[in-house]
Amino acid sequence: MVKLFMAEDDSLLVHIYEKKFKASGYEIDFAMDGEEAISKLKNMEIKPALVLLDGQMPRKSGFEVLQEMKNDEELKNVPVIFLTNMYEEDNEKKGLALGVASYLIKSQYIPSEIVTKVKEVCEKYNIK
């Protein structure tokens, strides 16, 4: 079973994504803010195969979490999908420059389409 991690501060979305990912055969863990996300990621014995990051979260933004991941030897190669409502071309360029596998605008996808995008990234990175 593929292990995912998601940082998302909207508890309703967390509930929806948890159901969708589990129904699709994924194991998933969550953090409700950026500080909790980086703490959980660094302390996980078995790192997730893929991380989904919200761009705007309390305590640390998705960009700050992503930067910390890229500076951590155990996390720097974990693929990241940036899942946000922050659409500005500069933000997308910044995310891509930091090495995100995909930059998605939440409002343009329903949760089942996000699951499909995760499957595509998993295939691209040969995650099974």
Side-chain angles (χ1 to χ4, degrees):
M1 183 177 299
V2 175
K3 182 178 180 176
L4 306 176
F5 183 84
M6 182 177 218
E8 171 60 62
D9 63 333
D10 183 324
S11 58
L12 177 61
L13 283 178
V14 166
H15 181 70
I16 292 168
Y17 284 122
E18 182 175 32
K19 282 185 164 188
K20 290 288 183 188
F21 282 115
K22 285 185 176 180
S24 297
Y26 292 97
E27 178 185 335
I28 188 159
D29 191 13
F30 293 91
M32 296 296 290
D33 64 57
E35 193 70 47
E36 180 186 12
I38 201 65
S39 176
K40 278 187 166 185
L41 285 166
K42 286 183 175 187
N43 290 307
M44 285 180 168
E45 200 168 304
I46 299 171
K47 303 302 181 202
L50 186 136
V51 172
L52 296 107
L53 284 179
D54 183 6
Q56 296 173 303
M57 296 181 287
R59 299 175 63 202
K60 280 192 184 193
S61 72
F63 285 116
E64 290 171 307
V65 173
L66 179 60
Q67 188 63 60
E68 285 195 44
M69 287 179 67
K70 294 303 178 183
N71 291 333
D72 185 289
E73 282 302 312
E74 293 184 336
L75 297 171
K76 70 180 183 183
N77 294 319
V78 176
V80 173
I81 294 176
F82 215 74
L83 186 59
T84 184
N85 278 322
M86 294 182 350
Y87 185 77
E88 291 175 14
E89 196 174 327
D90 288 346
N91 285 332
E92 185 172 6
K93 285 180 182 176
K94 182 178 179 181
L96 294 171
L98 286 169
V100 297
S102 190
Y103 190 98
L104 304 175
I105 306 302
K106 276 191 238 183
S107 60
Q108 295 178 358
Y109 299 92
I110 60 173
S112 58
E113 291 173 323
I114 298 298
V115 172
T116 299
K117 292 290 183 183
V118 165
K119 287 179 183 178
E120 289 171 7
V121 171
C122 285
E123 286 175 16
K124 178 180 173 183
Y125 286 85
N126 202 26
I127 298 169
K128 297 178 181 178

